[in-house]
Amino acid sequence: MATQSLLDEIQQLLDSELCESALQLAELECKPRLHDPQFVSGPTRAQLASEDLEQIVRDISDARWALGEHDLCLAQLRQIPRRHRTVRDVARMARCAALVHSSDARDLYEELLVRQPNATEAYEYVHARGAGAPFDGSTRHDVASITMARTMMRRLEYKAAASELQRLARRHRSNAHVVALHATCLFMLDDVRQSRILYERARALDAMLVHEMGAYSALLMQENDAHAVYALGSQLLRTDQTRPEGWVAMARFLAMTGQTQEALALVWKAQALAPLCAAAYCAEGGIQLLCECPEEAAKMFAKAHELEPTAQTYRGLISAHVQNGEHKFAYSYAKQLVELMPQNARALAAVGSVLAHSAESHAKAVRLLESALSVDPRCTDAVIALASLHVTNNCLSDAVSLLEKHLVDNETDDMYTRYADVLTLANELPKAAANYAVALEMNPSNERAKAGHERVDRLMHPSTESDDGEQGQELEPSDMSDDDML
């Protein structure tokens, strides 16, 4: 009989990505029993837990799915009686049938719609293949709500879209797609904490969810959580290697660990799989910026923006044009962004950051950055830009105070490094060294913190031979470029 220990062993192999081993174990030990009349009937029937056998079938199908054997995965799941199939079973069967162009793919998606009326993937599949599906008024209303929310998102009306999706989520609390869309709206509104909670809730509702995961990997990269990016990418690739989201997540992980060329290779693979996936081009734009290739980055962000304009593509275009010295283009995009999102702190900060590059516009830039902080005192973009302006204007005490205040709510290795940079300029070397050390403790691969710590160490402990001209000297703001602060 299928024992719990055997089920656990198969699941452990799957969790460890040893899909071949899980498949061999499940088929060797369990599959023959499914077809053994002596085992599934007669006196032993009372001793048999049918749900255990069905779980074995699901384990085998999981392994087949992870190996990309969609036809065999579908064949496995067909063994489960229709009345015992879960929504997850039907959803995977429908996806497999669509991938292998099975004739009953539409029937399976229609069955999924009956069980889960707001399954938008099923609705779109069936609707694209002609009318005649048994949709009720509730289904049409739900799909209309999601369509409206998506339209609002394309216009960057994220608050209105979030409200619409929140109303829809109250009616369908178990719909992962709706929850993920809501999470993306909150991410674009810079509510990172609540957005991450909702993304994780969506993944808990549907372990096979891939929609909106491109945005989630961007959020995790913004949070500098490399481990979470890797875990997300691994799971997405186990789910479906034909979709771009998993490759995008793994590309972002490689970029975070300094492997930019390998990251570009993966993001190009994602683009080849899905030429209309905006997230893949947006990811390449970010990686090209890390490679200090702003012209290429601008092209990629422009492509993503053409496919699906978002707050993220606007910010990418602004950063790429600023890095390329094209402040006129950067200001144009920043102005568009603030017109679309007038009460958004990061949008205001984007305009202020661009204006800060012109000495004639410093006063206006300060006003805009202070306005951004009045909207959201924790807006990191505004804090960094305003601190940089203070350094440029030789107001080091103001820069130190601003960063100290912001560190309370934003303890990241990047912020500790920036704080230490300003302390170095203010000649508070012991304090700067301590903050560089904190940054390196949080992220040992932070190259900027390493360089800063070494510079401070040389200033604090000058060698007997002056070979670098730094000993016994105080740094001036001009000794550190604006890039050290921005």
Side-chain angles (χ1 to χ4, degrees):
M1 193 169 98
T3 63
Q4 186 60 43
S5 61
L6 184 59
L7 291 173
D8 291 342
E9 188 173 352
I10 293 172
Q11 190 57 50
Q12 287 173 7
L13 289 169
L14 288 171
D15 291 342
S16 301
E17 302 183 35
L18 300 175
C19 301
E20 291 279 9
S21 301
L23 184 60
Q24 292 172 8
L25 177 62
E27 292 190 327
L28 179 66
E29 298 293 335
C30 309
K31 190 175 179 181
R33 304 183 186 191
L34 295 172
H35 305 286
D36 185 352
Q38 299 298 320
F39 185 67
V40 299
S41 62
T44 58
R45 182 70 180 181
Q47 302 173 8
L48 176 65
S50 61
E51 60 270 18
D52 283 350
L53 286 176
E54 290 168 6
Q55 184 57 47
I56 293 295
V57 171
R58 292 187 179 98
D59 288 338
I60 295 174
S61 73
D62 285 345
R64 292 292 190 192
W65 175 272
L67 292 168
E69 299 173 347
H70 302 119
D71 53 342
L72 296 176
C73 175
L74 178 60
Q76 287 294 330
L77 291 171
R78 289 191 196 279
Q79 298 182 50
I80 300 176
R82 183 182 294 269
R83 65 182 182 278
H84 291 172
R85 291 174 187 168
T86 65
V87 172
R88 181 180 184 274
D89 294 334
V90 177
R92 176 161 285 186
M93 289 176 71
R95 290 173 185 175
C96 287
L99 287 168
V100 299
H101 307 291
S102 175
S103 60
D104 64 345
R106 175 168 171 162
D107 293 337
L108 288 167
Y109 272 122
E110 288 181 356
E111 181 182 346
L112 178 59
L113 274 173
V114 171
R115 292 177 178 234
Q116 192 171 5
N118 60 334
T120 54
E121 177 186 345
Y123 179 88
E124 290 169 356
Y125 182 91
V126 178
H127 183 68
R129 284 153 181 80
F135 302 139
D136 57 20
S138 176
T139 301
R140 293 186 184 279
H141 176 72
D142 291 342
V143 174
S145 294
I146 292 178
T147 303
M148 184 187 302
R150 284 176 170 166
T151 301
M152 292 173 178
M153 290 172 71
R154 286 188 65 86
R155 296 200 298 255
L156 275 65
E157 298 172 0
Y158 294 115
K159 286 186 178 180
S163 298
E164 184 67 29
L165 290 166
Q166 194 170 24
R167 284 193 293 271
L168 185 60
R170 292 194 191 103
R171 297 197 300 272
H172 303 284
R173 296 183 182 276
S174 61
N175 187 282
H177 188 71
V178 172
V179 175
L181 272 175
H182 189 196
T184 298
C185 284
L186 295 182
F187 173 40
M188 296 301 166
L189 290 169
D190 306 313
D191 189 350
V192 175
R193 179 177 173 275
Q194 185 61 26
S195 176
R196 187 165 182 175
I197 291 172
L198 288 180
Y199 277 127
E200 286 301 321
R201 184 185 299 171
R203 295 177 68 207
L205 289 169
D206 183 0
M208 298 188 298
L209 180 70
V210 292
H211 293 286
E212 304 304 318
M213 292 298 103
Y216 188 28
S217 65
L219 181 152
L220 295 173
M221 186 177 186
Q222 179 180 305
E223 291 287 281
N224 202 28
D225 193 341
H227 176 74
V229 176
Y230 176 79
L232 175 64
S234 298
Q235 181 176 348
L236 291 174
L237 289 177
R238 287 199 301 270
T239 299
D240 190 352
Q241 294 188 15
T242 66
R243 296 275 305 204
E245 290 84 355
W247 300 107
V248 166
M250 293 307 294
R252 285 184 164 131
F253 167 74
L254 291 173
M256 293 174 74
T257 55
Q259 304 174 71
T260 52
Q261 294 306 308
E262 293 84 352
L264 286 172
L266 289 191
V267 85
W268 291 335
K269 180 179 180 69
Q271 293 168 9
L273 288 170
L276 300 181
C277 177
Y281 297 101
C282 200
E284 184 182 350
I287 296 168
Q288 294 287 7
L289 282 179
L290 291 175
C291 296
E292 298 184 359
C293 300
E295 289 186 15
E296 288 299 318
K299 292 177 184 177
M300 292 302 104
F301 282 123
K303 177 68 174 177
H305 191 72
E306 179 184 350
L307 291 169
E308 184 180 354
T310 65
Q312 193 177 11
T313 60
Y314 270 106
R315 291 169 192 146
L317 284 164
I318 294 165
S319 297
H321 286 301
V322 165
Q323 195 175 114
N324 203 33
E326 299 171 336
H327 299 124
K328 183 178 180 180
F329 290 114
Y331 179 74
S332 175
Y333 283 114
K335 189 176 179 181
Q336 291 177 39
L337 179 59
V338 83
E339 287 172 354
L340 292 167
M341 304 176 70
Q343 295 302 314
N344 182 267
R346 290 189 72 184
L348 291 168
V351 180
S353 299
V354 175
L355 292 175
H357 287 82
S358 172
E360 296 80 7
S361 305
H362 277 190
K364 188 175 180 180
V366 169
R367 289 196 300 272
L368 281 166
L369 294 170
E370 289 177 345
S371 296
L373 289 174
S374 67
V375 173
D376 181 6
R378 298 193 299 176
C379 179
T380 302
D381 291 0
V383 169
I384 293 172
L386 187 55
S388 179
L389 265 178
H390 287 323
V391 170
T392 301
N393 295 328
N394 204 22
C395 301
L396 298 179
S397 59
D398 292 338
V400 169
S401 299
L402 179 63
L403 291 170
E404 278 181 350
K405 182 179 178 181
H406 189 66
L407 264 175
V408 175
D409 296 315
N410 189 24
E411 293 190 271
T412 64
D413 65 290
D414 181 63
M415 287 308 300
Y416 273 106
T417 302
R418 294 177 188 278
Y419 181 44
D421 286 343
V422 179
L423 290 171
T424 304
L425 290 172
N427 206 34
E428 298 184 34
L429 301 183
K431 198 172 179 180
N435 281 278
Y436 280 130
V438 173
L440 289 170
E441 184 178 345
M442 297 175 73
N443 180 12
S445 62
N446 187 329
E447 294 298 329
R448 181 168 152 187
K450 287 180 185 177
H453 195 276
E454 291 172 0
R455 180 173 60 245
V456 170
D457 187 61
R458 289 196 303 271
L459 290 168
M460 292 174 63
H461 307 96
S463 60
T464 55
E465 296 181 8
S466 176
D467 55 357
D468 55 10
E470 286 188 350
Q471 68 177 57
Q473 298 180 9
E474 293 185 3
L475 287 179
E476 297 293 336
S478 57
D479 293 330
M480 296 178 70
S481 67
D482 287 345
D483 290 338
D484 289 332
M485 281 300 305
L486 294 172

